[in-house]
Coordinates of all heavy atoms in Angstrom, one line a residue:
M22 N 82.6 163.2 56.1 CA 83.6 162.7 55.2 C 82.8 161.9 54.1 O 82.0 161.1 54.4 CB 84.6 161.8 55.9 CG 85.6 161.1 55.1 SD 86.8 162.2 54.3 CE 87.5 162.9 55.8
F23 N 83.2 162.1 52.9 CA 82.6 161.4 51.7 C 83.6 160.7 51.0 O 84.7 161.1 50.8 CB 81.9 162.5 50.8 CG 80.7 163.2 51.4 CD1 81.0 164.3 52.2 CD2 79.5 162.7 51.3 CE1 79.9 165.0 52.8 CE2 78.4 163.3 51.9 CZ 78.6 164.5 52.7
L24 N 83.3 159.4 50.6 CA 84.2 158.6 49.9 C 83.8 158.5 48.4 O 82.6 158.3 48.1 CB 84.2 157.2 50.5 CG 84.9 157.0 51.8 CD1 84.1 157.6 52.9 CD2 85.2 155.6 52.0
F25 N 84.8 158.5 47.5 CA 84.6 158.4 46.1 C 85.6 157.5 45.5 O 86.8 157.7 45.8 CB 84.6 159.8 45.4 CG 83.5 160.7 45.8 CD1 83.7 161.6 46.9 CD2 82.3 160.7 45.2 CE1 82.7 162.5 47.2 CE2 81.3 161.5 45.5 CZ 81.4 162.4 46.6
L26 N 85.2 156.7 44.5 CA 86.2 156.1 43.7 C 86.7 157.1 42.7 O 86.0 158.0 42.3 CB 85.5 154.9 42.9 CG 85.2 153.7 43.6 CD1 84.3 152.8 42.7 CD2 86.5 152.9 43.9
S27 N 88.0 157.0 42.3 CA 88.5 158.0 41.3 C 87.7 157.9 40.0 O 87.5 159.0 39.4 CB 90.0 157.7 41.1 OG 90.2 156.4 40.6
Q28 N 87.2 156.8 39.6 CA 86.4 156.6 38.4 C 85.1 157.4 38.5 O 84.6 158.0 37.6 CB 86.1 155.2 38.1 CG 85.3 155.0 36.8 CD 86.1 155.5 35.6 OE1 87.2 155.1 35.3 NE2 85.4 156.4 34.8
E29 N 84.5 157.5 39.7 CA 83.3 158.2 39.9 C 83.5 159.7 39.7 O 82.6 160.4 39.1 CB 82.8 158.1 41.4 CG 82.2 156.7 41.7 CD 81.8 156.6 43.1 OE1 82.7 156.8 44.0 OE2 80.7 156.3 43.4
L30 N 84.7 160.2 40.1 CA 85.0 161.6 39.8 C 85.1 161.9 38.3 O 84.6 162.9 37.8 CB 86.2 162.1 40.5 CG 86.2 162.1 42.0 CD1 87.5 162.7 42.6 CD2 85.0 162.8 42.5
L31 N 85.8 161.0 37.6 CA 85.9 161.2 36.1 C 84.5 161.1 35.5 O 84.2 161.9 34.6 CB 86.8 160.1 35.5 CG 86.9 160.2 34.0 CD1 87.5 161.5 33.6 CD2 87.8 159.0 33.5
D32 N 83.6 160.2 36.0 CA 82.3 160.1 35.4 C 81.5 161.4 35.7 O 80.7 161.8 34.9 CB 81.5 158.9 36.0 CG 82.2 157.6 35.6 OD1 83.0 157.6 34.6 OD2 81.9 156.6 36.2
K33 N 81.7 161.9 36.9 CA 80.9 163.1 37.3 C 81.4 164.4 36.6 O 80.6 165.3 36.3 CB 81.0 163.3 38.8 CG 80.2 164.3 39.4 CD 80.2 164.3 40.9 CE 79.3 165.3 41.6 NZ 77.9 165.0 41.5
Y34 N 82.7 164.5 36.4 CA 83.4 165.7 35.8 C 84.2 165.3 34.6 O 85.5 165.4 34.7 CB 84.2 166.4 36.9 CG 83.5 166.8 38.1 CD1 83.7 166.2 39.3 CD2 82.5 167.8 38.1 CE1 83.1 166.5 40.5 CE2 81.9 168.2 39.3 CZ 82.2 167.5 40.4 OH 81.5 167.9 41.6
P35 N 83.7 164.7 33.6 CA 84.5 164.2 32.5 C 85.3 165.3 31.7 O 86.3 164.9 31.1 CB 83.4 163.6 31.5 CG 82.2 164.3 31.8 CD 82.2 164.6 33.3
N36 N 84.9 166.5 31.8 CA 85.6 167.5 31.0 C 86.7 168.3 31.8 O 87.3 169.2 31.3 CB 84.6 168.5 30.4 CG 83.7 167.9 29.5 OD1 84.1 167.0 28.7 ND2 82.4 168.2 29.5
L37 N 86.9 167.9 33.1 CA 87.8 168.5 33.9 C 89.1 167.7 34.1 O 89.0 166.4 34.0 CB 87.2 168.8 35.3 CG 86.0 169.6 35.4 CD1 85.5 169.8 36.8 CD2 86.2 171.0 34.7
D38 N 90.2 168.3 34.3 CA 91.4 167.6 34.6 C 91.4 167.1 36.1 O 90.5 167.5 36.8 CB 92.7 168.4 34.2 CG 93.0 169.5 35.1 OD1 92.5 169.6 36.3 OD2 93.6 170.5 34.7
V39 N 92.4 166.3 36.5 CA 92.5 165.8 37.8 C 92.4 166.8 38.9 O 91.6 166.7 39.8 CB 93.7 164.9 38.0 CG1 93.9 164.5 39.4 CG2 93.7 163.7 37.1
N40 N 93.2 167.9 38.8 CA 93.2 168.9 39.8 C 91.8 169.6 39.9 O 91.4 169.9 41.0 CB 94.3 169.9 39.6 CG 95.7 169.3 39.7 OD1 95.8 168.4 40.5 ND2 96.6 169.8 39.0
Q41 N 91.2 169.9 38.8 CA 89.9 170.5 38.8 C 88.8 169.6 39.4 O 88.0 170.1 40.1 CB 89.5 170.9 37.3 CG 90.4 172.0 36.8 CD 90.2 172.2 35.3 OE1 90.0 171.3 34.6 NE2 90.2 173.5 34.9
R42 N 88.9 168.3 39.1 CA 87.9 167.4 39.7 C 88.1 167.3 41.2 O 87.1 167.4 41.9 CB 88.2 165.9 39.1 CG 87.8 165.8 37.6 CD 87.7 164.4 37.2 NE 88.8 163.6 37.3 CZ 89.7 163.3 36.3 NH1 89.5 163.9 35.1 NH2 90.8 162.6 36.5
E43 N 89.3 167.3 41.7 CA 89.5 167.2 43.1 C 89.0 168.5 43.7 O 88.4 168.5 44.8 CB 91.0 167.1 43.4 CG 91.5 165.7 43.1 CD 93.0 165.5 43.4 OE1 93.7 166.5 43.8 OE2 93.5 164.4 43.2
Y44 N 89.3 169.6 43.1 CA 88.8 170.9 43.6 C 87.3 171.0 43.7 O 86.7 171.4 44.7 CB 89.4 172.1 42.7 CG 88.8 173.4 43.1 CD1 89.3 174.1 44.2 CD2 87.8 174.0 42.4 CE1 88.8 175.3 44.6 CE2 87.2 175.2 42.8 CZ 87.8 175.9 43.9 OH 87.2 177.1 44.2
E45 N 86.6 170.6 42.6 CA 85.2 170.7 42.6 C 84.5 169.8 43.6 O 83.6 170.1 44.3 CB 84.7 170.4 41.2 CG 85.0 171.4 40.1 CD 84.4 172.8 40.5 OE1 83.3 172.8 41.0 OE2 85.0 173.8 40.2
I46 N 85.0 168.5 43.7 CA 84.4 167.6 44.7 C 84.7 168.0 46.1 O 83.8 167.9 47.0 CB 84.8 166.1 44.4 CG1 83.8 165.2 45.0 CG2 86.2 165.9 44.9 CD1 82.5 165.1 44.2
S47 N 85.8 168.5 46.4 CA 86.1 169.0 47.8 C 85.4 170.3 48.1 O 85.0 170.5 49.2 CB 87.6 169.1 48.0 OG 88.2 170.0 47.2
K48 N 85.2 171.1 47.1 CA 84.4 172.3 47.3 C 83.0 172.0 47.6 O 82.3 172.6 48.5 CB 84.5 173.2 46.1 CG 83.8 174.5 46.2 CD 84.0 175.4 45.0 CE 83.2 175.0 43.8 NZ 83.2 175.9 42.7
K49 N 82.4 171.0 47.0 CA 81.1 170.6 47.1 C 80.8 169.9 48.5 O 79.8 170.1 49.1 CB 80.6 169.7 46.0 CG 79.2 169.3 46.1 CD 78.7 168.5 44.9 CE 77.2 168.2 45.0 NZ 76.8 167.5 43.8
Y50 N 81.7 169.0 48.9 CA 81.5 168.2 50.0 C 82.4 168.5 51.3 O 82.1 168.0 52.3 CB 81.7 166.7 49.7 CG 80.7 166.2 48.8 CD1 80.9 166.0 47.4 CD2 79.4 165.8 49.2 CE1 79.9 165.6 46.5 CE2 78.4 165.4 48.4 CZ 78.7 165.2 47.0 OH 77.7 164.8 46.2
G51 N 83.3 169.4 51.1 CA 84.2 169.8 52.2 C 85.3 168.9 52.5 O 86.5 169.3 52.5
A52 N 85.0 167.6 52.8 CA 86.1 166.6 53.1 C 85.8 165.4 52.3 O 84.7 164.8 52.5 CB 86.1 166.3 54.6
V53 N 86.7 165.0 51.5 CA 86.5 163.8 50.7 C 87.7 162.9 50.7 O 88.8 163.3 51.0 CB 86.2 164.2 49.2 CG1 84.9 164.9 49.1 CG2 87.4 164.9 48.6
F54 N 87.5 161.6 50.5 CA 88.5 160.5 50.5 C 88.3 159.9 49.1 O 87.3 159.4 48.8 CB 88.2 159.5 51.6 CG 89.3 158.5 51.7 CD1 90.5 158.7 52.3 CD2 89.1 157.2 51.2 CE1 91.5 157.7 52.4 CE2 90.0 156.2 51.3 CZ 91.2 156.5 51.9
I55 N 89.3 160.0 48.3 CA 89.3 159.5 46.9 C 90.2 158.3 46.9 O 91.4 158.4 47.2 CB 89.7 160.5 45.9 CG1 88.9 161.8 46.0 CG2 89.6 159.9 44.5 CD1 89.4 163.0 45.3
Y56 N 89.7 157.1 46.5 CA 90.5 155.9 46.5 C 90.5 155.2 45.1 O 89.8 155.6 44.2 CB 90.0 154.9 47.6 CG 88.6 154.4 47.5 CD1 88.4 153.2 47.0 CD2 87.6 155.2 47.9 CE1 87.1 152.7 46.9 CE2 86.2 154.8 47.8 CZ 86.0 153.5 47.3 OH 84.7 153.1 47.2
K57 N 91.5 154.3 45.0 CA 91.8 153.6 43.8 C 92.3 154.7 42.8 O 91.9 154.7 41.6 CB 90.7 152.8 43.2 CG 90.3 151.6 44.1 CD 89.4 150.7 43.4 CE 89.2 149.5 44.2 NZ 88.4 148.5 43.6
I58 N 93.3 155.5 43.2 CA 93.7 156.6 42.4 C 94.9 156.2 41.4 O 95.3 157.0 40.5 CB 94.2 157.8 43.2 CG1 95.4 157.5 44.0 CG2 93.0 158.4 44.0 CD1 96.0 158.8 44.7
G59 N 95.4 155.0 41.6 CA 96.6 154.6 40.8 C 96.2 153.8 39.5 O 97.0 153.8 38.5
Y60 N 95.0 153.2 39.5 CA 94.6 152.5 38.3 C 94.2 153.4 37.1 O 93.8 154.5 37.3 CB 93.4 151.6 38.6 CG 93.7 150.3 39.4 CD1 93.2 150.1 40.6 CD2 94.6 149.4 38.8 CE1 93.5 149.0 41.3 CE2 94.9 148.2 39.5 CZ 94.3 148.0 40.8 OH 94.6 146.9 41.4
N61 N 94.4 152.9 35.9 CA 93.9 153.6 34.7 C 92.4 153.7 34.8 O 91.7 152.7 35.0 CB 94.4 153.0 33.4 CG 95.8 153.3 33.1 OD1 96.4 154.2 33.8 ND2 96.3 152.6 32.1
L62 N 91.9 154.9 34.5 CA 90.4 155.1 34.4 C 89.9 154.8 33.0 O 90.7 154.4 32.1 CB 90.1 156.5 34.9 CG 90.6 156.9 36.3 CD1 90.4 158.3 36.5 CD2 90.1 156.0 37.3
T63 N 88.7 155.1 32.7 CA 88.2 154.8 31.4 C 88.8 155.7 30.3 O 88.7 155.4 29.1 CB 86.6 155.0 31.4 OG1 86.3 156.3 31.8 CG2 85.9 153.9 32.2
N64 N 89.5 156.8 30.8 CA 90.2 157.6 29.8 C 91.6 157.2 29.6 O 92.4 157.9 29.0 CB 90.2 159.1 30.3 CG 90.9 159.3 31.6 OD1 91.4 158.4 32.2 ND2 90.9 160.6 32.0
N65 N 92.0 156.0 30.1 CA 93.3 155.3 30.0 C 94.4 156.1 30.7 O 95.6 155.9 30.4 CB 93.7 155.1 28.5 CG 92.8 154.0 27.9 OD1 92.5 153.0 28.5 ND2 92.4 154.3 26.7
K66 N 94.0 156.9 31.7 CA 95.0 157.6 32.6 C 94.7 157.3 34.0 O 93.5 157.2 34.4 CB 94.9 159.1 32.3 CG 95.2 159.5 30.9 CD 95.1 161.0 30.8 CE 95.2 161.5 29.4 NZ 94.9 162.9 29.2
P67 N 95.7 157.2 34.9 CA 95.4 157.1 36.3 C 95.0 158.4 36.9 O 95.3 159.5 36.3 CB 96.8 156.7 36.9 CG 97.8 157.2 36.0 CD 97.1 157.1 34.6
H68 N 94.2 158.4 37.9 CA 93.8 159.6 38.6 C 95.0 160.4 39.0 O 95.1 161.6 38.9 CB 92.8 159.3 39.8 CG 92.5 160.6 40.5 ND1 91.4 161.4 40.1 CD2 93.0 161.1 41.6 CE1 91.3 162.4 40.9 NE2 92.2 162.2 41.9
S69 N 96.0 159.7 39.6 CA 97.2 160.3 40.1 C 98.3 159.3 40.2 O 98.2 158.1 40.2 CB 96.9 160.8 41.6 OG 98.0 161.3 42.1
S70 N 99.5 159.9 40.1 CA 100.7 159.1 40.3 C 101.5 159.6 41.5 O 102.7 159.7 41.4 CB 101.5 159.0 39.0 OG 101.9 160.4 38.7
R71 N 100.8 160.1 42.5 CA 101.5 160.7 43.7 C 102.5 159.8 44.3 O 103.5 160.3 44.8 CB 100.5 161.2 44.7 CG 99.7 162.4 44.2 CD 98.6 162.7 45.3 NE 98.0 164.0 45.0 CZ 96.8 164.0 44.4 NH1 96.2 162.9 44.0 NH2 96.3 165.2 44.1
A72 N 102.3 158.5 44.4 CA 103.2 157.6 45.0 C 103.5 156.5 44.1 O 102.9 155.4 44.2 CB 102.7 157.1 46.3
K73 N 104.3 156.7 43.1 CA 104.5 155.7 42.0 C 105.1 154.4 42.5 O 104.9 153.4 41.9 CB 105.5 156.3 41.0 CG 105.0 157.5 40.3 CD 106.0 158.1 39.3 CE 105.4 159.3 38.7 NZ 106.3 160.0 37.8
D74 N 105.7 154.4 43.7 CA 106.3 153.1 44.2 C 105.3 152.3 45.0 O 105.6 151.3 45.6 CB 107.5 153.4 45.0 CG 107.3 154.3 46.2 OD1 106.3 155.0 46.2 OD2 108.2 154.3 47.1
Y75 N 104.1 152.8 45.2 CA 103.1 152.2 46.0 C 102.7 150.9 45.3 O 102.5 150.8 44.1 CB 101.8 153.1 46.2 CG 101.0 152.7 47.4 CD1 101.4 153.1 48.6 CD2 99.8 152.1 47.2 CE1 100.7 152.7 49.7 CE2 99.0 151.7 48.3 CZ 99.5 152.1 49.6 OH 98.7 151.8 50.7
D76 N 102.5 149.8 46.1 CA 102.3 148.5 45.5 C 100.9 148.0 45.5 O 100.6 146.9 45.0 CB 103.3 147.4 46.2 CG 103.0 147.3 47.7 OD1 102.2 148.0 48.2 OD2 103.6 146.4 48.2
D77 N 100.0 148.7 46.1 CA 98.6 148.2 46.2 C 97.7 149.4 45.7 O 97.2 150.2 46.5 CB 98.2 147.7 47.5 CG 96.8 147.0 47.5 OD1 96.1 147.2 46.6 OD2 96.6 146.3 48.5
W78 N 97.4 149.4 44.4 CA 96.6 150.5 43.9 C 95.1 150.4 44.4 O 94.4 151.4 44.3 CB 96.6 150.4 42.3 CG 97.9 150.7 41.8 CD1 98.7 149.8 41.1 CD2 98.7 151.9 41.9 NE1 99.9 150.4 40.7 CE2 99.9 151.6 41.2 CE3 98.5 153.1 42.4 CZ2 100.9 152.6 41.1 CZ3 99.5 154.1 42.4 CH2 100.6 153.8 41.7
N79 N 94.7 149.3 44.9 CA 93.3 149.3 45.5 C 93.3 150.1 46.8 O 92.2 150.7 47.1 CB 92.9 147.8 45.9 CG 92.5 147.1 44.7 OD1 91.7 147.6 43.9 ND2 93.0 145.9 44.5
L80 N 94.4 150.3 47.5 CA 94.4 151.0 48.7 C 94.9 152.5 48.5 O 94.7 153.3 49.4 CB 95.3 150.4 49.7 CG 94.8 149.0 50.1 CD1 95.9 148.3 51.1 CD2 93.5 149.0 50.8
M81 N 95.5 152.8 47.4 CA 96.0 154.1 47.1 C 94.9 155.1 47.1 O 93.9 155.0 46.5 CB 96.7 154.1 45.8 CG 97.2 155.4 45.3 SD 99.0 155.5 45.7 CE 99.4 156.9 44.8
A82 N 95.1 156.1 48.0 CA 94.0 157.1 48.1 C 94.5 158.4 48.6 O 95.7 158.6 49.0 CB 93.0 156.6 49.2
I83 N 93.7 159.5 48.5 CA 94.0 160.8 49.0 C 92.9 161.3 49.8 O 91.7 161.0 49.6 CB 94.4 161.8 47.8 CG1 93.2 161.8 46.8 CG2 95.7 161.4 47.2 CD1 93.5 162.8 45.7
L84 N 93.2 162.1 50.8 CA 92.2 162.8 51.6 C 92.3 164.3 51.4 O 93.4 164.9 51.4 CB 92.6 162.5 53.1 CG 91.7 163.0 54.2 CD1 90.3 162.5 54.0 CD2 92.2 162.6 55.5
L85 N 91.2 164.9 51.0 CA 91.2 166.3 50.7 C 90.2 167.1 51.6 O 89.1 166.6 51.9 CB 90.7 166.5 49.3 CG 91.5 165.8 48.2 CD1 90.8 166.0 46.8 CD2 92.9 166.4 48.1
F86 N 90.6 168.2 52.1 CA 89.8 169.1 52.8 C 89.8 170.5 52.2 O 90.8 170.9 51.6 CB 90.3 169.3 54.3 CG 90.2 168.1 55.1 CD1 91.3 167.3 55.2 CD2 89.1 167.9 55.8 CE1 91.2 166.2 56.0 CE2 89.0 166.8 56.7 CZ 90.1 165.9 56.8
T87 N 88.7 171.2 52.2 CA 88.7 172.6 51.7 C 88.9 173.5 52.9 O 88.6 173.2 54.1 CB 87.4 173.0 51.1 OG1 86.3 172.9 52.0 CG2 87.0 172.1 49.9
I88 N 89.5 174.6 52.7 CA 89.8 175.6 53.7 C 88.5 176.1 54.4 O 88.4 176.2 55.6 CB 90.6 176.8 53.1 CG1 91.9 176.4 52.6 CG2 90.7 177.9 54.2 CD1 92.9 175.8 53.6
N89 N 87.5 176.3 53.6 CA 86.2 176.8 54.2 C 85.6 175.7 55.1 O 85.1 176.1 56.2 CB 85.2 177.0 53.1 CG 85.5 178.3 52.3 OD1 86.3 179.1 52.8 ND2 85.1 178.3 51.1
Y90 N 85.8 174.5 54.8 CA 85.3 173.4 55.7 C 86.1 173.4 57.0 O 85.5 173.4 58.1 CB 85.4 172.0 55.0 CG 85.0 170.9 55.9 CD1 83.7 170.6 56.0 CD2 85.9 170.1 56.6 CE1 83.3 169.5 56.8 CE2 85.6 169.1 57.4 CZ 84.2 168.8 57.5 OH 83.8 167.8 58.3
M91 N 87.4 173.5 56.9 CA 88.2 173.5 58.1 C 88.0 174.7 59.0 O 87.9 174.6 60.2 CB 89.7 173.4 57.8 CG 90.0 172.0 57.1 SD 91.7 171.6 56.7 CE 92.6 173.1 56.8
I92 N 87.8 175.9 58.4 CA 87.5 177.1 59.1 C 86.2 177.0 59.8 O 86.0 177.3 61.0 CB 87.6 178.3 58.2 CG1 89.1 178.6 57.8 CG2 87.1 179.6 58.9 CD1 89.3 179.6 56.8
G93 N 85.2 176.5 59.1 CA 83.9 176.3 59.7 C 83.9 175.4 60.9 O 83.1 175.6 61.9
Q94 N 84.7 174.3 60.9 CA 84.8 173.4 62.0 C 85.5 174.0 63.2 O 85.3 173.6 64.3 CB 85.6 172.1 61.6 CG 84.9 171.3 60.5 CD 83.5 170.8 61.0 OE1 83.1 171.0 62.1 NE2 82.8 170.1 60.1
L95 N 86.3 175.0 63.0 CA 87.0 175.7 64.1 C 86.2 176.7 64.8 O 86.4 177.0 65.9 CB 88.3 176.3 63.6 CG 89.4 175.4 63.0 CD1 90.5 176.1 62.4 CD2 89.9 174.4 64.1
N96 N 85.2 177.2 64.1 CA 84.4 178.3 64.7 C 83.2 177.7 65.5 O 82.8 176.7 65.4 CB 83.8 179.2 63.6 CG 84.9 180.0 63.0 OD1 85.9 180.4 63.6 ND2 84.7 180.3 61.7

């Protein structure tokens, strides 16, 4: 499991949209935890608004797995 700040993903993939950044990082690492996804990043947009009613943006996060990673763990 790899942990990333949402800002780190934007810094790493500045020309990709949110979905593409999530796809690329999970493809590379298999299982990732992206946190602080509700705050505005340096591009003045939040990484995600998946849970708009969430009250602590420091804890707001998502857990991503790639299918290849999960299949590999089952074999």
Side-chain angles (χ1 to χ4, degrees):
M22 179 66 61
F23 295 86
L24 285 76
F25 293 94
L26 285 166
S27 56
Q28 183 61 54
E29 289 176 302
L30 294 186
L31 179 60
D32 295 343
K33 187 172 182 70
Y34 305 109
N36 298 320
L37 301 181
D38 69 26
V39 171
N40 292 330
Q41 292 169 323
R42 290 194 301 263
E43 289 179 359
Y44 173 78
E45 290 300 325
I46 202 71
S47 62
K48 183 173 77 171
K49 181 174 182 177
Y50 292 101
V53 296
F54 184 81
I55 305 167
Y56 60 105
K57 293 193 176 185
I58 65 171
Y60 282 120
N61 281 350
L62 305 174
T63 56
N64 64 358
N65 290 321
K66 298 177 187 173
H68 176 84
S69 175
S70 59
R71 287 180 173 95
K73 294 178 184 180
D74 61 340
Y75 202 74
D76 62 353
D77 190 342
W78 294 115
N79 281 314
L80 299 176
M81 177 98 168
I83 53 176
L84 182 61
L85 303 171
F86 292 93
T87 63
I88 297 298
N89 290 337
Y90 177 80
M91 293 182 349
I92 290 171
Q94 294 297 359
L95 296 174
N96 291 330

